[in-house]
Amino acid sequence: PRHKCGNQKSCPQNYFAFKIISGAANVVGPSICFDDLVLMSNVKNNIGRGLNIALVNGTTGQLLKTDTFDMYSG
């Protein structure tokens, strides 16, 4: 069976599935999947160097905001 976000196991009821991939240098970009919806990725063109952050409502699972914080440039 297929599990949300490509995880190996299903989450218990009333829990959200998520998967965060950090990426590898400039070769593979990071991605964030939440409840089987990709929130940030190269394909969506909304990732950047440094920290990639997705703010999600913990009760409803609704995406509130995505942003990046460039730790290198200061």
Side-chain angles (χ1 to χ4, degrees):
R2 187 190 175 290
H3 304 291
K4 290 183 178 180
C5 291
N7 290 326
Q8 293 183 358
K9 295 181 180 180
S10 290
C11 293
Q13 268 191 325
N14 300 320
Y15 284 80
F16 292 112
F18 70 93
K19 188 174 198 174
I20 299 171
I21 300 173
S22 66
N26 292 338
V27 180
V28 178
S31 67
I32 299 174
C33 176
F34 183 82
D35 208 34
D36 225 18
L37 178 66
V38 176
L39 304 180
M40 300 183 81
S41 70
N42 275 336
V43 174
K44 292 180 115 5
N45 199 27
N46 63 348
I47 58 169
R49 176 175 70 180
L51 298 175
N52 292 277
I53 301 167
L55 179 63
V56 177
N57 181 311
T59 303
T60 66
Q62 177 186 8
L63 176 65
L64 302 174
K65 183 175 181 173
T66 61
D67 210 343
T68 62
F69 184 74
D70 189 342
M71 302 281 292
Y72 183 77
S73 70

